[in-house]
Amino acid sequence: RFHGEGYQEGYAEGSHAGVVEGRRYGSLHGAKIGSEIGCYLGFALTWQCLLQKCTDEKNSKKIRALDSLIGMIQKFPYEDPTYDKLQEDLEKIRGKFKQVCSMLNIQSDFRISTERSSLTF
């Protein structure tokens, strides 16, 4: 009897601790992904505005790539943590971001600096 009761208590306590740890882990990593995606969107919108004044063929390719990146970000399922292709879509967005950076001759390192409150590229 004591063995059974101990098992039930331990199982209940472990389940509760697992939920708390999972929520904390999900919040932390969700915030990191949100920050990364938000940075990409701000970057793309800024460059889109800067390049709209130029209408030559070279810049039109850059604008199309930026439009594609913005579209991918806008379709990203932010509110569905059970989305089965979340990592796959995130990798596609990262790849498109790197492509755009290459077209614009900008280093594509995404880092959040802990020493200063700024993003570096």
Side-chain angles (χ1 to χ4, degrees):
R1 185 180 116 217
F2 292 118
H3 178 65
E5 288 176 9
Y7 175 80
Q8 292 299 328
E9 288 176 18
Y11 185 82
E13 189 175 321
S15 294
H16 176 70
V19 167
V20 170
E21 184 179 341
R23 185 172 290 130
R24 185 177 33 217
Y25 182 82
S27 295
L28 175 68
H29 289 283
K32 286 180 182 178
I33 290 173
S35 176
E36 181 180 358
I37 296 292
C39 179
Y40 294 159
L41 182 59
F43 172 87
L45 290 173
T46 301
W47 273 100
Q48 185 183 44
C49 288
L50 292 172
L51 292 175
Q52 280 183 343
K53 297 174 184 175
C54 306
T55 57
D56 61 340
E57 180 64 30
K58 200 172 187 181
N59 284 327
S60 68
K61 288 181 181 181
K62 294 174 186 177
I63 291 172
R64 281 196 304 271
L66 285 165
D67 289 340
S68 175
L69 176 60
I70 292 168
M72 292 169 74
I73 292 170
Q74 289 173 340
K75 292 176 186 173
F76 191 76
Y78 299 104
E79 297 181 12
D80 185 9
T82 61
Y83 179 62
D84 58 340
K85 293 185 178 180
L86 188 120
Q87 290 296 325
E88 184 179 318
D89 286 354
L90 186 58
E91 287 301 319
K92 287 179 183 177
I93 290 171
R94 287 175 178 150
K96 181 59 79 172
F97 174 73
K98 288 179 182 178
Q99 177 190 13
V100 168
C101 286
S102 175
M103 293 173 87
L104 296 170
N105 284 336
I106 296 172
Q107 287 185 338
S108 64
D109 295 342
F110 176 80
R111 293 185 306 265
I112 297 177
S113 176
T114 55
E115 298 171 4
R116 295 172 281 152
S117 61
S118 64
L119 298 174
T120 56
F121 291 93

